[in-house]
Amino acid sequence: MNLTVSYLEKIRLPFLHKLYKDNYPSGKPKGNEEIVVLETNKKIIGSIRIKAYEDCHFLTGMMITKEMRQQNLGSYLLQQLAPFLPLNTSYCLCEPSLTNFYIQNSFKRAEYNSVPNSIKVKYDRYTKDGKTLDILVYKNPTI
């Protein structure tokens, strides 16, 4: 399988909206964030959204299309992210069932008190109704 990882061309955002609706309905890609896509033969099969803050990135909305799941493509996408992360530190919030997946892909658990305020605000907003999430951190090895 010939895989490429690149930034999404903004003109393709409406197509990505449909992919998210079909494959990850709660994810909503926005034009004001960087989106990295995984493609095979010019067909998007996965993506992850990157929000840049002053001192870190926030990774959110990782999606692999349903027909391409269970092929380690999520791991492949995460392993290719370093060049797209110009800041040293990136965070993500995930359901506990996904924590080991991220840890296997170079993330580590982060304690609430050790993360930047921008991440605390997101964590608080997502968990205020009782949802359980883990905070994970990724240190860019290329910086």
Side-chain angles (χ1 to χ4, degrees), residues 86-140:
L87 300 173
N88 180 52
T89 307
S90 300
Y91 293 91
C92 75
L93 304 176
C94 72
E95 295 178 6
S97 63
L98 294 172
T99 298
N100 285 337
F101 164 77
Y102 283 98
I103 288 173
Q104 291 168 359
N105 288 286
S106 302
F107 285 76
K108 294 183 176 12
R109 289 181 186 271
E111 294 300 320
Y112 179 86
N113 291 332
S114 70
V115 303
N117 193 53
S118 56
I119 304 304
K120 288 178 184 175
V121 167
K122 289 201 170 295
Y123 179 84
D124 291 344
R125 188 174 86 223
Y126 295 149
T127 60
K128 72 177 172 14
D129 295 326
K131 186 172 189 169
T132 302
L133 293 174
D134 289 335
I135 305 171
L136 300 173
V137 61
Y138 171 82
K139 300 287 186 180
N140 192 333

Tab-separated table of all heavy atoms in Angstrom, residues 86-140:
chain	number	residue	atom	x	y	z
A	86	PRO	N	5.888	21.564	14.911
A	86	PRO	CA	7.070	22.399	15.132
A	86	PRO	C	7.342	22.740	16.598
A	86	PRO	O	8.442	23.174	16.924
A	86	PRO	CB	6.775	23.657	14.312
A	86	PRO	CG	5.294	23.694	14.173
A	86	PRO	CD	4.839	22.263	14.181
A	87	LEU	N	6.377	22.541	17.460
A	87	LEU	CA	6.606	22.758	18.889
A	87	LEU	C	7.037	21.446	19.528
A	87	LEU	O	6.668	20.365	19.064
A	87	LEU	CB	5.341	23.298	19.558
A	87	LEU	CG	4.822	24.630	19.000
A	87	LEU	CD1	3.477	24.978	19.615
A	87	LEU	CD2	5.828	25.745	19.240
A	88	ASN	N	7.767	21.525	20.602
A	88	ASN	CA	8.326	20.341	21.241
A	88	ASN	C	7.274	19.411	21.835
A	88	ASN	O	7.420	18.198	21.799
A	88	ASN	CB	9.315	20.766	22.332
A	88	ASN	CG	9.931	19.588	23.035
A	88	ASN	OD1	10.461	18.687	22.405
A	88	ASN	ND2	9.848	19.570	24.351
A	89	THR	N	6.198	19.965	22.380
A	89	THR	CA	5.262	19.173	23.169
A	89	THR	C	3.864	19.200	22.563
A	89	THR	O	3.370	20.252	22.176
A	89	THR	CB	5.203	19.699	24.614
A	89	THR	OG1	6.532	19.764	25.130
A	89	THR	CG2	4.376	18.804	25.497
A	90	SER	N	3.242	18.024	22.510
A	90	SER	CA	1.864	17.901	22.036
A	90	SER	C	1.078	17.078	23.037
A	90	SER	O	1.613	16.153	23.655
A	90	SER	CB	1.821	17.210	20.672
A	90	SER	OG	2.540	17.945	19.711
A	91	TYR	N	-0.196	17.403	23.173
A	91	TYR	CA	-1.080	16.699	24.093
A	91	TYR	C	-2.284	16.153	23.348
A	91	TYR	O	-2.685	16.684	22.319
A	91	TYR	CB	-1.586	17.652	25.194
A	91	TYR	CG	-0.500	18.116	26.107
A	91	TYR	CD1	0.208	19.285	25.839
A	91	TYR	CD2	-0.150	17.389	27.240
A	91	TYR	CE1	1.225	19.715	26.673
A	91	TYR	CE2	0.866	17.813	28.085
A	91	TYR	CZ	1.553	18.972	27.789
A	91	TYR	OH	2.564	19.390	28.612
A	92	CYS	N	-2.861	15.108	23.893
A	92	CYS	CA	-4.161	14.640	23.421
A	92	CYS	C	-4.942	14.130	24.619
A	92	CYS	O	-4.367	13.782	25.656
A	92	CYS	CB	-4.034	13.581	22.332
A	92	CYS	SG	-3.535	11.959	22.887
A	93	LEU	N	-6.239	14.126	24.479
A	93	LEU	CA	-7.141	13.576	25.475
A	93	LEU	C	-7.779	12.351	24.843
A	93	LEU	O	-8.203	12.405	23.683
A	93	LEU	CB	-8.226	14.587	25.847
A	93	LEU	CG	-7.740	15.942	26.346
A	93	LEU	CD1	-8.931	16.875	26.579
A	93	LEU	CD2	-6.923	15.789	27.615
A	94	CYS	N	-7.824	11.268	25.584
A	94	CYS	CA	-8.433	10.070	25.006
A	94	CYS	C	-9.196	9.290	26.057
A	94	CYS	O	-8.949	9.417	27.255
A	94	CYS	CB	-7.378	9.187	24.337
A	94	CYS	SG	-6.283	8.342	25.466
A	95	GLU	N	-10.118	8.491	25.571
A	95	GLU	CA	-10.838	7.580	26.451
A	95	GLU	C	-9.847	6.540	26.961
A	95	GLU	O	-8.922	6.146	26.241
A	95	GLU	CB	-11.984	6.924	25.697
A	95	GLU	CG	-13.040	7.915	25.281
A	95	GLU	CD	-14.171	7.294	24.483
A	95	GLU	OE1	-14.213	6.058	24.323
A	95	GLU	OE2	-15.027	8.068	24.010
A	96	PRO	N	-10.003	6.086	28.198
A	96	PRO	CA	-9.057	5.116	28.767
A	96	PRO	C	-8.838	3.887	27.897
A	96	PRO	O	-7.741	3.325	27.884
A	96	PRO	CB	-9.688	4.761	30.114
A	96	PRO	CG	-10.466	5.976	30.490
A	96	PRO	CD	-11.012	6.511	29.182
A	97	SER	N	-9.837	3.480	27.136
A	97	SER	CA	-9.680	2.288	26.284
A	97	SER	C	-8.653	2.506	25.169
A	97	SER	O	-8.160	1.545	24.589
A	97	SER	CB	-11.024	1.886	25.676
A	97	SER	OG	-11.509	2.924	24.829
A	98	LEU	N	-8.317	3.754	24.876
A	98	LEU	CA	-7.342	4.061	23.820
A	98	LEU	C	-5.962	4.429	24.358
A	98	LEU	O	-5.021	4.606	23.586
A	98	LEU	CB	-7.860	5.205	22.947
A	98	LEU	CG	-9.103	4.892	22.131
A	98	LEU	CD1	-9.629	6.147	21.458
A	98	LEU	CD2	-8.816	3.812	21.116
A	99	THR	N	-5.827	4.524	25.658
A	99	THR	CA	-4.566	4.977	26.247
A	99	THR	C	-3.397	4.093	25.844
A	99	THR	O	-2.337	4.599	25.449
A	99	THR	CB	-4.692	5.062	27.783
A	99	THR	OG1	-5.709	6.027	28.085
A	99	THR	CG2	-3.387	5.479	28.429
A	100	ASN	N	-3.547	2.784	25.923
A	100	ASN	CA	-2.429	1.896	25.563
A	100	ASN	C	-2.023	2.061	24.102
A	100	ASN	O	-0.838	1.980	23.776
A	100	ASN	CB	-2.761	0.436	25.873
A	100	ASN	CG	-2.680	0.156	27.355
A	100	ASN	OD1	-2.003	0.876	28.092
A	100	ASN	ND2	-3.370	-0.866	27.805
A	101	PHE	N	-2.982	2.299	23.213
A	101	PHE	CA	-2.675	2.546	21.809
A	101	PHE	C	-1.728	3.746	21.682
A	101	PHE	O	-0.713	3.684	20.987
A	101	PHE	CB	-3.965	2.787	21.019
A	101	PHE	CG	-3.743	3.418	19.675
A	101	PHE	CD1	-3.269	2.669	18.606
A	101	PHE	CD2	-4.002	4.763	19.469
A	101	PHE	CE1	-3.061	3.252	17.361
A	101	PHE	CE2	-3.808	5.354	18.235
A	101	PHE	CZ	-3.335	4.598	17.181
A	102	TYR	N	-2.054	4.836	22.365
A	102	TYR	CA	-1.201	6.024	22.281
A	102	TYR	C	0.155	5.788	22.945
A	102	TYR	O	1.183	6.222	22.424
A	102	TYR	CB	-1.906	7.239	22.894
A	102	TYR	CG	-2.951	7.814	21.975
A	102	TYR	CD1	-4.299	7.493	22.128
A	102	TYR	CD2	-2.599	8.656	20.936
A	102	TYR	CE1	-5.262	8.010	21.272
A	102	TYR	CE2	-3.553	9.181	20.077
A	102	TYR	CZ	-4.875	8.852	20.251
A	102	TYR	OH	-5.824	9.359	19.396
A	103	ILE	N	0.173	5.087	24.068
A	103	ILE	CA	1.440	4.796	24.747
A	103	ILE	C	2.341	3.949	23.842
A	103	ILE	O	3.548	4.171	23.780
A	103	ILE	CB	1.179	4.131	26.116
A	103	ILE	CG1	0.611	5.188	27.073
A	103	ILE	CG2	2.434	3.488	26.675
A	103	ILE	CD1	0.146	4.667	28.402
A	104	GLN	N	1.762	3.024	23.103
A	104	GLN	CA	2.551	2.220	22.156
A	104	GLN	C	3.100	3.057	21.007
A	104	GLN	O	3.988	2.619	20.287
A	104	GLN	CB	1.694	1.080	21.586
A	104	GLN	CG	1.355	0.032	22.609
A	104	GLN	CD	0.281	-0.931	22.116
A	104	GLN	OE1	-0.230	-0.818	21.005
A	104	GLN	NE2	-0.090	-1.871	22.977
A	105	ASN	N	2.592	4.276	20.857
A	105	ASN	CA	3.017	5.170	19.777
A	105	ASN	C	3.698	6.425	20.320
A	105	ASN	O	3.489	7.533	19.824
A	105	ASN	CB	1.820	5.517	18.887
A	105	ASN	CG	1.414	4.335	18.048
A	105	ASN	OD1	2.089	3.983	17.091
A	105	ASN	ND2	0.322	3.678	18.420
A	106	SER	N	4.511	6.233	21.349
A	106	SER	CA	5.423	7.260	21.892
A	106	SER	C	4.779	8.332	22.764
A	106	SER	O	5.415	9.331	23.081
A	106	SER	CB	6.214	7.931	20.764
A	106	SER	OG	6.934	6.958	20.040
A	107	PHE	N	3.536	8.157	23.168
A	107	PHE	CA	2.919	9.084	24.111
A	107	PHE	C	3.149	8.576	25.530
A	107	PHE	O	3.393	7.391	25.740
A	107	PHE	CB	1.408	9.189	23.854
A	107	PHE	CG	1.043	10.001	22.651
A	107	PHE	CD1	1.191	9.482	21.373
A	107	PHE	CD2	0.540	11.279	22.783
A	107	PHE	CE1	0.852	10.217	20.253
A	107	PHE	CE2	0.197	12.031	21.673
A	107	PHE	CZ	0.349	11.497	20.399
A	108	LYS	N	3.047	9.487	26.479
A	108	LYS	CA	3.144	9.138	27.898
A	108	LYS	C	1.963	9.790	28.622
A	108	LYS	O	1.430	10.794	28.180
A	108	LYS	CB	4.458	9.657	28.479
A	108	LYS	CG	5.681	8.984	27.901
A	108	LYS	CD	6.936	9.503	28.586
A	108	LYS	CE	8.211	8.855	28.180
A	108	LYS	NZ	8.319	8.021	27.071
A	109	ARG	N	1.601	9.201	29.744
A	109	ARG	CA	0.552	9.806	30.569
A	109	ARG	C	1.068	11.137	31.121
A	109	ARG	O	2.236	11.259	31.454
A	109	ARG	CB	0.188	8.908	31.738
A	109	ARG	CG	-0.558	7.681	31.344
A	109	ARG	CD	-0.894	6.860	32.602
A	109	ARG	NE	-1.498	5.609	32.256
A	109	ARG	CZ	-2.806	5.417	32.103
A	109	ARG	NH1	-3.629	6.421	32.282
A	109	ARG	NH2	-3.282	4.242	31.780
A	110	ALA	N	0.157	12.095	31.239
A	110	ALA	CA	0.495	13.390	31.826
A	110	ALA	C	-0.444	13.647	32.988
A	110	ALA	O	-1.629	13.295	32.931
A	110	ALA	CB	0.375	14.493	30.792
A	111	GLU	N	0.079	14.232	34.016
A	111	GLU	CA	-0.740	14.597	35.169
A	111	GLU	C	-1.385	15.953	34.920
A	111	GLU	O	-0.763	16.859	34.361
A	111	GLU	CB	0.114	14.639	36.440
A	111	GLU	CG	0.664	13.292	36.857
A	111	GLU	CD	-0.432	12.276	37.148
A	111	GLU	OE1	-1.462	12.653	37.750
A	111	GLU	OE2	-0.269	11.101	36.760
A	112	TYR	N	-2.612	16.100	35.355
A	112	TYR	CA	-3.379	17.329	35.167
A	112	TYR	C	-2.584	18.558	35.599
A	112	TYR	O	-2.552	19.560	34.890
A	112	TYR	CB	-4.696	17.220	35.940
A	112	TYR	CG	-5.578	18.433	35.847
A	112	TYR	CD1	-6.467	18.574	34.786
A	112	TYR	CD2	-5.546	19.422	36.826
A	112	TYR	CE1	-7.297	19.679	34.700
A	112	TYR	CE2	-6.371	20.531	36.737
A	112	TYR	CZ	-7.237	20.658	35.671
A	112	TYR	OH	-8.048	21.756	35.585
A	113	ASN	N	-1.946	18.480	36.759
A	113	ASN	CA	-1.233	19.644	37.290
A	113	ASN	C	0.020	20.004	36.507
A	113	ASN	O	0.584	21.077	36.707
A	113	ASN	CB	-0.886	19.441	38.768
A	113	ASN	CG	-2.132	19.454	39.633
A	113	ASN	OD1	-3.132	20.079	39.294
A	113	ASN	ND2	-2.073	18.739	40.744
A	114	SER	N	0.465	19.128	35.603
A	114	SER	CA	1.698	19.401	34.860
A	114	SER	C	1.443	19.914	33.448
A	114	SER	O	2.396	20.217	32.725
A	114	SER	CB	2.546	18.125	34.781
A	114	SER	OG	1.924	17.171	33.926
A	115	VAL	N	0.192	20.022	33.037
A	115	VAL	CA	-0.094	20.429	31.659
A	115	VAL	C	-0.403	21.919	31.579
A	115	VAL	O	-0.823	22.531	32.565
A	115	VAL	CB	-1.251	19.596	31.044
A	115	VAL	CG1	-0.936	18.107	31.085
A	115	VAL	CG2	-2.577	19.882	31.717
A	116	PRO	N	-0.195	22.519	30.405
A	116	PRO	CA	-0.499	23.949	30.242
A	116	PRO	C	-1.980	24.238	30.470
A	116	PRO	O	-2.836	23.366	30.297
A	116	PRO	CB	-0.121	24.240	28.784
A	116	PRO	CG	0.726	23.111	28.355
A	116	PRO	CD	0.349	21.934	29.188
A	117	ASN	N	-2.269	25.463	30.808
A	117	ASN	CA	-3.642	25.868	31.078
A	117	ASN	C	-4.557	25.605	29.882
A	117	ASN	O	-5.715	25.225	30.064
A	117	ASN	CB	-3.696	27.344	31.488
A	117	ASN	CG	-5.042	27.705	32.062
A	117	ASN	OD1	-5.521	27.055	32.984
A	117	ASN	ND2	-5.663	28.721	31.500
A	118	SER	N	-4.077	25.798	28.667
A	118	SER	CA	-4.910	25.574	27.480
A	118	SER	C	-5.421	24.127	27.421
A	118	SER	O	-6.546	23.876	26.979
A	118	SER	CB	-4.138	25.915	26.202
A	118	SER	OG	-2.937	25.178	26.136
A	119	ILE	N	-4.621	23.194	27.888
A	119	ILE	CA	-5.026	21.781	27.900
A	119	ILE	C	-5.961	21.518	29.080
A	119	ILE	O	-6.955	20.784	28.945
A	119	ILE	CB	-3.790	20.859	27.937
A	119	ILE	CG1	-2.859	21.167	26.754
A	119	ILE	CG2	-4.207	19.387	27.951
A	119	ILE	CD1	-3.497	21.078	25.382
A	120	LYS	N	-5.677	22.126	30.230
A	120	LYS	CA	-6.572	21.978	31.387
A	120	LYS	C	-7.981	22.450	31.058
A	120	LYS	O	-8.966	21.798	31.421
A	120	LYS	CB	-6.035	22.766	32.584
A	120	LYS	CG	-4.818	22.173	33.216
A	120	LYS	CD	-4.344	23.054	34.366
A	120	LYS	CE	-3.060	22.507	34.949
A	120	LYS	NZ	-2.504	23.398	35.973
A	121	VAL	N	-8.079	23.579	30.360
A	121	VAL	CA	-9.392	24.121	29.997
A	121	VAL	C	-10.146	23.122	29.125
A	121	VAL	O	-11.341	22.862	29.342
A	121	VAL	CB	-9.241	25.484	29.283
A	121	VAL	CG1	-10.536	25.926	28.626
A	121	VAL	CG2	-8.744	26.533	30.265
A	122	LYS	N	-9.479	22.537	28.139
A	122	LYS	CA	-10.128	21.541	27.280
A	122	LYS	C	-10.546	20.317	28.100
A	122	LYS	O	-11.660	19.814	27.961
A	122	LYS	CB	-9.197	21.123	26.150
A	122	LYS	CG	-9.004	22.215	25.129
A	122	LYS	CD	-8.547	21.639	23.833
A	122	LYS	CE	-8.591	22.671	22.757
A	122	LYS	NZ	-9.926	23.143	22.424
A	123	TYR	N	-9.637	19.833	28.942
A	123	TYR	CA	-9.929	18.659	29.767
A	123	TYR	C	-11.154	18.932	30.646
A	123	TYR	O	-12.076	18.108	30.718
A	123	TYR	CB	-8.713	18.310	30.626
A	123	TYR	CG	-8.934	17.123	31.514
A	123	TYR	CD1	-8.752	15.833	31.032
A	123	TYR	CD2	-9.339	17.285	32.833
A	123	TYR	CE1	-8.968	14.727	31.842
A	123	TYR	CE2	-9.555	16.185	33.652
A	123	TYR	CZ	-9.370	14.915	33.149
A	123	TYR	OH	-9.589	13.826	33.952
A	124	ASP	N	-11.161	20.082	31.299
A	124	ASP	CA	-12.285	20.428	32.180
A	124	ASP	C	-13.597	20.499	31.403
A	124	ASP	O	-14.632	20.016	31.872
A	124	ASP	CB	-12.025	21.765	32.881
A	124	ASP	CG	-10.904	21.687	33.903
A	124	ASP	OD1	-10.511	20.565	34.302
A	124	ASP	OD2	-10.392	22.765	34.291
A	125	ARG	N	-13.559	21.082	30.210
A	125	ARG	CA	-14.767	21.215	29.401
A	125	ARG	C	-15.290	19.838	28.974
A	125	ARG	O	-16.488	19.569	29.024
A	125	ARG	CB	-14.489	22.087	28.176
A	125	ARG	CG	-15.771	22.416	27.414
A	125	ARG	CD	-15.547	23.399	26.288
A	125	ARG	NE	-15.146	22.660	25.106
A	125	ARG	CZ	-14.172	23.007	24.277
A	125	ARG	NH1	-13.480	24.093	24.483
A	125	ARG	NH2	-13.885	22.277	23.232
A	126	TYR	N	-14.390	18.954	28.579
A	126	TYR	CA	-14.807	17.633	28.093
A	126	TYR	C	-15.242	16.699	29.219
A	126	TYR	O	-15.991	15.753	28.977
A	126	TYR	CB	-13.686	16.966	27.303
A	126	TYR	CG	-13.314	17.671	26.014
A	126	TYR	CD1	-12.015	17.626	25.547
A	126	TYR	CD2	-14.234	18.382	25.265
A	126	TYR	CE1	-11.644	18.262	24.366
A	126	TYR	CE2	-13.880	19.021	24.084
A	126	TYR	CZ	-12.592	18.955	23.641
A	126	TYR	OH	-12.233	19.582	22.482
A	127	THR	N	-14.751	16.915	30.434
A	127	THR	CA	-15.063	15.988	31.526
A	127	THR	C	-16.082	16.527	32.531
A	127	THR	O	-16.439	15.813	33.460
A	127	THR	CB	-13.772	15.599	32.288
A	127	THR	OG1	-13.177	16.772	32.840
A	127	THR	CG2	-12.790	14.880	31.371
A	128	LYS	N	-16.564	17.732	32.339
A	128	LYS	CA	-17.468	18.331	33.329
A	128	LYS	C	-18.767	17.542	33.524
A	128	LYS	O	-19.370	17.599	34.579
A	128	LYS	CB	-17.760	19.788	32.991
A	128	LYS	CG	-18.660	20.024	31.804
A	128	LYS	CD	-18.926	21.508	31.635
A	128	LYS	CE	-19.615	21.981	30.453
A	128	LYS	NZ	-20.321	21.278	29.533
A	129	ASP	N	-19.165	16.784	32.525
A	129	ASP	CA	-20.392	15.994	32.630
A	129	ASP	C	-20.138	14.544	33.023
A	129	ASP	O	-20.986	13.679	32.832
A	129	ASP	CB	-21.167	16.043	31.308
A	129	ASP	CG	-21.661	17.447	30.990
A	129	ASP	OD1	-21.993	18.194	31.931
A	129	ASP	OD2	-21.685	17.803	29.790
A	130	GLY	N	-18.934	14.261	33.527
A	130	GLY	CA	-18.637	12.928	34.026
A	130	GLY	C	-17.868	12.027	33.083
A	130	GLY	O	-17.572	10.882	33.423
A	131	LYS	N	-17.545	12.498	31.892
A	131	LYS	CA	-16.783	11.679	30.939
A	131	LYS	C	-15.369	11.475	31.476
A	131	LYS	O	-14.745	12.391	31.998
A	131	LYS	CB	-16.734	12.380	29.582
A	131	LYS	CG	-16.099	11.548	28.507
A	131	LYS	CD	-16.255	12.214	27.147
A	131	LYS	CE	-15.803	11.258	26.075
A	131	LYS	NZ	-16.151	11.724	24.743
A	132	THR	N	-14.862	10.263	31.355
A	132	THR	CA	-13.518	9.941	31.818
A	132	THR	C	-12.548	10.013	30.646
A	132	THR	O	-12.767	9.362	29.619
A	132	THR	CB	-13.474	8.530	32.431
A	132	THR	OG1	-14.405	8.476	33.508
A	132	THR	CG2	-12.085	8.197	32.944
A	133	LEU	N	-11.505	10.820	30.801
A	133	LEU	CA	-10.478	10.952	29.776
A	133	LEU	C	-9.102	10.912	30.413
A	133	LEU	O	-8.923	11.324	31.557
A	133	LEU	CB	-10.618	12.289	29.028
A	133	LEU	CG	-11.859	12.479	28.171
A	133	LEU	CD1	-11.915	13.903	27.637
A	133	LEU	CD2	-11.891	11.484	27.025
A	134	ASP	N	-8.141	10.401	29.666
A	134	ASP	CA	-6.743	10.453	30.078
A	134	ASP	C	-6.054	11.568	29.300
A	134	ASP	O	-6.401	11.840	28.148
A	134	ASP	CB	-6.042	9.123	29.788
A	134	ASP	CG	-6.506	8.010	30.717
A	134	ASP	OD1	-6.975	8.317	31.833
A	134	ASP	OD2	-6.398	6.841	30.324
A	135	ILE	N	-5.080	12.193	29.939
A	135	ILE	CA	-4.268	13.221	29.292
A	135	ILE	C	-2.947	12.566	28.922
A	135	ILE	O	-2.275	11.974	29.760
A	135	ILE	CB	-4.000	14.409	30.234
A	135	ILE	CG1	-5.298	14.994	30.769
A	135	ILE	CG2	-3.174	15.475	29.515
A	135	ILE	CD1	-5.106	16.034	31.872
A	136	LEU	N	-2.589	12.677	27.635
A	136	LEU	CA	-1.343	12.087	27.159
A	136	LEU	C	-0.478	13.169	26.536
A	136	LEU	O	-0.980	14.153	25.993
A	136	LEU	CB	-1.634	10.982	26.145
A	136	LEU	CG	-2.487	9.837	26.691
A	136	LEU	CD1	-2.863	8.882	25.593
A	136	LEU	CD2	-1.771	9.107	27.805
A	137	VAL	N	0.832	12.969	26.617
A	137	VAL	CA	1.787	13.943	26.092
A	137	VAL	C	2.758	13.250	25.150
A	137	VAL	O	3.126	12.084	25.360
A	137	VAL	CB	2.535	14.665	27.235
A	137	VAL	CG1	3.343	13.692	28.095
A	137	VAL	CG2	3.419	15.785	26.707
A	138	TYR	N	3.152	13.968	24.123
A	138	TYR	CA	4.118	13.492	23.124
A	138	TYR	C	5.214	14.540	23.026
A	138	TYR	O	4.934	15.717	22.835
A	138	TYR	CB	3.418	13.310	21.781
A	138	TYR	CG	4.357	13.025	20.622
A	138	TYR	CD1	4.833	11.747	20.394
A	138	TYR	CD2	4.739	14.034	19.752
A	138	TYR	CE1	5.679	11.470	19.327
A	138	TYR	CE2	5.581	13.774	18.680
A	138	TYR	CZ	6.065	12.488	18.468
A	138	TYR	OH	6.888	12.225	17.418
A	139	LYS	N	6.447	14.112	23.180
A	139	LYS	CA	7.611	14.994	23.018
A	139	LYS	C	8.200	14.722	21.644
A	139	LYS	O	8.581	13.591	21.340
A	139	LYS	CB	8.659	14.740	24.098
A	139	LYS	CG	8.163	14.964	25.506
A	139	LYS	CD	7.991	16.431	25.800
A	139	LYS	CE	7.629	16.621	27.273
A	139	LYS	NZ	7.449	17.975	27.656
A	140	ASN	N	8.297	15.766	20.829
A	140	ASN	CA	8.806	15.615	19.462
A	140	ASN	C	10.289	15.265	19.486
A	140	ASN	O	11.097	16.066	19.947
A	140	ASN	CB	8.566	16.903	18.681
A	140	ASN	CG	8.795	16.741	17.201
A	140	ASN	OD1	9.569	15.891	16.771
A	140	ASN	ND2	8.142	17.559	16.410
